Amino acid sequence: MSTQFGTHPIEDLFNDFRDGRRLLELLEGFTGQKLAKEKGSTRVHALNNVNKALQVLQKNNVDLVNIGSTDIVDGNHKLTLGLIWSIILHWQVKNVMKNIMAGLQQTNSEKILLSWVRQSTQNYPQVNVTNFTNSWSDGLAFNALIHSHRSDLFDWDSVACQQSDIQRLDHAFNIAKRHLGIEKLLDPEDS
């Protein structure tokens, strides 16, 4: 199954962004600007396209940490995912959060995401998310976040009151994988 941005479908995230052309097409959709793409198929053309995309992202104040054009051209999975996550945070999460953050001059992506989590979990008195570290270690925040959007997937009280931290974390990660298609990126023991 492919996702379509612009005129070319994305079949493989890591390979399809390597030449920079589809990445530039994606950014055209977000910025509303036509971005010139080098049409050649050499590494130099790919690096130039990705460099142009990174410049567009920097110009739009997208937080890029330790991501260079060679990382994307070489198909580095971790940094390609980091790039995509930065794009999502900048254009999608910030747009969704505009109403919630009205009146506040917040620009930091982490603060915006934290605000969204707090808003989503506000009806769960056992949950108090104040950061992205120890606020998640007991598993309650992960489960509350899932339950706040998909309460049909499990009974909150049975998870909140009867399980250990590791069981709650494992429960949340398994529900996310099985029902939401979110891969398990952490082990409960790592928390």
Side-chain angles (χ1 to χ4, degrees):
M1 182 167 90
S2 65
T3 304
Q4 191 156 346
F5 298 111
T7 57
H8 300 99
I10 304 296
E11 300 290 339
D12 179 331
L13 183 67
F14 305 112
N15 285 323
D16 290 351
F17 281 162
R18 289 176 75 170
D19 67 4
R21 287 190 290 247
R22 289 189 183 100
L23 183 57
L24 285 167
E25 285 179 4
L26 176 66
L27 295 177
E28 284 177 346
F30 285 123
T31 64
Q33 300 172 354
K34 182 74 176 149
L35 301 171
K37 298 165 209 64
E38 293 198 14
K39 301 206 185 313
S41 58
T42 68
R43 180 173 175 82
V44 172
H45 293 111
L47 287 167
N48 287 341
N49 284 332
V50 174
N51 272 329
K52 184 177 293 179
L54 295 178
Q55 288 170 359
V56 169
L57 291 169
Q58 288 174 334
K59 185 176 168 186
N60 282 277
N61 298 315
V62 175
D63 296 329
L64 298 176
V65 180
N66 296 326
I67 299 173
S69 58
T70 56
D71 302 313
I72 307 306
V73 171
D74 292 342
N76 181 308
H77 287 203
K78 183 178 179 182
L79 294 177
T80 299
L81 288 173
L83 175 67
I84 298 304
W85 178 244
S86 294
I87 292 169
I88 290 168
L89 274 178
H90 184 78
W91 272 288
Q92 296 300 306
V93 174
K94 282 186 179 179
N95 287 340
V96 167
M97 295 304 298
K98 278 182 183 173
N99 292 336
I100 294 170
M101 301 299 288
L104 297 177
Q105 296 298 319
Q106 301 270 344
T107 57
N108 183 306
S109 297
E110 281 189 18
K111 288 180 182 175
I112 293 170
L113 188 57
L114 188 62
S115 177
W116 174 77
V117 169
R118 291 179 60 83
Q119 171 111 3
S120 296
T121 60
Q122 69 184 354
N123 295 326
Y124 299 85
Q126 307 95 318
V127 178
N128 182 25
V129 179
T130 58
N131 57 47
F132 286 109
T133 54
N134 58 347
S135 291
W136 300 84
S137 62
D138 63 4
L140 289 171
F142 284 112
N143 279 290
L145 190 58
I146 293 168
H147 194 263
S148 71
H149 295 282
R150 290 290 309 274
S151 60
D152 60 305
L153 295 179
F154 62 92
D155 176 52
W156 168 255
D157 292 328
S158 67
V159 171
C161 300
Q162 299 175 357
Q163 298 182 338
S164 72
D165 293 358
I166 289 179
Q167 288 173 316
R168 284 192 294 265
L169 287 163
D170 197 45
H171 177 267
F173 297 160
N174 287 332
I175 289 287
K177 182 171 175 42
R178 189 175 2 184
H179 296 284
L180 305 175
I182 299 171
E183 286 298 321
K184 195 174 183 179
L185 298 176
L186 300 172
D187 286 319
E189 292 80 15
D190 293 340
S191 301

